[in-house]
Structure formats: structure tokens, C-alpha cells
Amino acid sequence: MTLAEIARKPAGSGAFANDKLALETAAATRLLEQEGILDYSGHVSTRIPGRDAFVIQIGSTSRAEVAPASMLVVDYDGKVLEGDGQPPSELPIHIEILKARPDVQSVLHSHMEMAIAFTMMEGVKLVPMRARASRWKSGIPTDPDPSHIKLPEQGRALARTLGPHHAALMRAHGLVLVAESTQALFIDAVHFKENATAQMQALQAGAKPLPLTDAEIAQIERMEMRDWHVKKLWNYYARKGLKNGVLPREWADALVPSKEMMRRERMV
């Protein structure tokens, strides 16, 4: 089975669907490492439609070298169904969030330093500053557990902290982001980092941060085309990764949108 065959096969086509999910999850992981959002640790999971299972990398594999062959299929009991290796030790993060949030298709756990800083300052909360941060208008709660999330009860507590939101910080540890697809998750991670950096820059300038108002968020969302935006940025970052050698050239056909897919049908 070639990557070109995977690319041509429609989503939901049995084993081919799993292979496409594994490829996208591996590519997103490499791109997140390229952007400094993942490093030696952290991980991405993607739900397999129609199964109580998801794909996630082998825990010991370098985030800069993850490939479909280093992905596992794991069920909600933590059992490896497909693949050869052990999943990341913080597997309960993914299991419990995916169980609690049927609307979520992909989960990121990262140790983004800029975001962690907002769990270590008294009286300072991370808030929407940049336009794309309207994604987190409902709030960015902080889970109080600073340790590794290795037990089911810890994962359930983190899922409760996340609640209906799209992001949660983890005290002195990291963050979780959730989204409707692996590509959308990657784009959200890029914007989350941008937003945290913007707020930190305002604080470092000695100024009072001015977060987006409800009226501003409403105006942003009136003009938003999330599907198009995700596709546009994924096209940019996937091509950047291919150009820089972060992604293998043979992945191109499966990952880069076609010209037809990049047609914009509307403006708002």
C-alpha cells in the first residue's frame, strides 16, 4: 500500500482510513516539533471514526521522526490493538478526553513554555488577545495537578477541567488542546502559541493587556471561515515542512491540498 493509494482512498474506507489518520497525525506531530510546540515530549491523538479507539505515536519515538509505521491504534482501556510498541505514559490524557468529548476528533498534549508561564503568575490569566484566539472565548481553565497524568482518575480530572472548552492549561506542566480534526488541531496550536506570546509581550512591556471584548469576538466570528482558514494554513505549513525536509517528499500527495480543494467558494 503506497501513500499515493492512501491519499486517493476516501475517508472511512476500513484500514485505509486508519492509515490516512496515522499519516496526518504523524505529519502534524513533525510540524508541531518544527514550530517549537512539541520537542522531546508531548503527543497528538486522533479518534478513529466508528471505533472506540484512536491513533497515537509510540511513546519512545522522536517527535521529529514520527511516521505512520510508528503509530499505534489504542482502545479506551489503553490496550494496543495495532502496532508494535508502547504508547506515551500520559495516555490517560487522550483516553479520558476522547471519552468525555464525542465532539473532539484530535487531542494535543504539549509542554509549550509560553503557555506554562501563565500557570505560574499570580493574578494573571491567559485570555484571547489575537483575532484567531476567539476560538478560546469560553475560557482557558487551569488544571491544578502539576504531575504527569498517568492514572485514569487524573485523566478524568483533567477532562473535567477542560469541560466544554477547547483548551486547558496544566499547572507548571503544559496544556491540552482539542479540535474537530488533526489539521485543525495543528492550526489551533500555532494560534495558541501566537496568542500566549502576544499577551506575554504586553506584560513584558509593562502595559496592561487588552483582551478581545465580546463585541470584538462577535465581529471576528461574523467574518470567520474556519474550514477555509484551516485548509489554507495546513497547505502553507505542510509545504514548508516538505521544503525543509521535515516531511518526506513521498508524503506530499497525501498531505498537500489540490488546487480544486483550495478554491474558496465564499468570502464570509
Side-chain angles (χ1 to χ4, degrees):
M1 178 190 318
T2 68
L3 292 177
E5 288 173 327
I6 294 171
R8 289 195 298 267
K9 203 71 175 179
S13 300
F16 282 97
N18 291 357
D19 291 335
K20 183 71 181 293
L21 291 176
L23 178 64
E24 277 203 352
T25 306
T29 299
R30 289 192 184 206
L31 293 175
L32 287 165
E33 195 277 337
Q34 172 184 257
E35 298 305 313
I37 295 168
L38 293 179
D39 46 32
Y40 57 86
S41 195
H43 16 81
V44 176
S45 65
T46 304
R47 186 193 303 273
I48 300 174
R51 294 180 64 182
D52 290 337
F54 55 95
V55 296
I56 194 167
Q57 74 164 83
I58 295 170
S60 60
T61 302
S62 167
R63 279 65 182 159
E65 298 177 340
V66 174
S70 52
M71 303 300 291
L72 305 170
V73 174
V74 182
D75 69 14
Y76 292 160
D77 293 322
K79 180 182 178 182
V80 175
L81 304 178
E82 299 174 29
D84 182 18
Q86 294 179 314
S89 61
E90 292 190 294
L91 194 63
I93 291 175
H94 302 270
I95 291 174
E96 300 303 333
I97 289 176
L98 289 170
K99 285 168 61 177
R101 290 283 299 275
D103 60 306
V104 166
Q105 299 302 310
S106 199
V107 178
L108 165 68
H109 172 49
S110 166
H111 303 135
M112 187 188 297
E113 292 184 2
M114 190 64 70
I116 294 172
F118 284 90
T119 74
M120 301 186 293
M121 293 185 285
E122 184 176 0
V124 179
K125 288 186 176 182
L126 182 58
V127 293
M129 300 286 292
R130 297 277 296 267
R132 296 296 174 182
S134 62
R135 170 76 173 163
W136 303 290
K137 66 179 181 179
S138 65
I140 306 172
T142 298
D143 191 76
D145 188 345
S147 64
H148 284 129
I149 308 301
K150 296 182 176 181
L151 303 176
E153 54 266 34
Q154 291 178 293
R156 288 191 289 270
L158 176 57
R160 286 194 296 271
T161 296
L162 177 65
H165 308 293
H166 301 304
L169 301 180
M170 304 161 73
R171 162 71 175 154
H173 178 169
L175 62 88
V176 289
L177 293 178
V178 298
E180 71 276 19
S181 69
T182 310
Q183 293 184 14
L185 184 76
F186 170 77
I187 302 310
D188 283 348
V190 169
H191 289 318
F192 199 85
K193 183 179 180 181
E194 290 172 347
N195 187 72
T197 300
Q199 186 170 345
M200 186 65 73
Q201 288 171 334
L203 292 168
Q204 290 172 335
K208 180 181 178 181
L210 293 176
L212 293 170
T213 66
D214 291 343
E216 288 171 330
I217 289 174
Q219 173 63 13
I220 290 166
E221 292 188 337
R222 278 194 291 271
M223 306 302 292
E224 180 60 57
M225 295 191 299
R226 179 169 170 84
D227 290 347
W228 162 251
H229 180 72
V230 167
K231 193 183 304 179
K232 175 186 173 183
L233 267 68
W234 178 261
N235 180 62
Y236 167 77
Y237 282 102
R239 288 178 178 274
K240 177 182 176 182
L242 290 162
K243 180 180 178 181
N244 295 342
V246 171
L247 302 179
R249 290 300 309 176
E250 58 266 29
W251 293 12
D253 288 346
L255 294 175
V256 175
S258 66
K259 289 183 178 180
E260 291 74 20
M261 293 172 64
M262 293 303 297
R263 288 182 60 86
R264 187 177 60 239
E265 301 298 333
R266 57 190 177 87
M267 290 297 294
V268 293

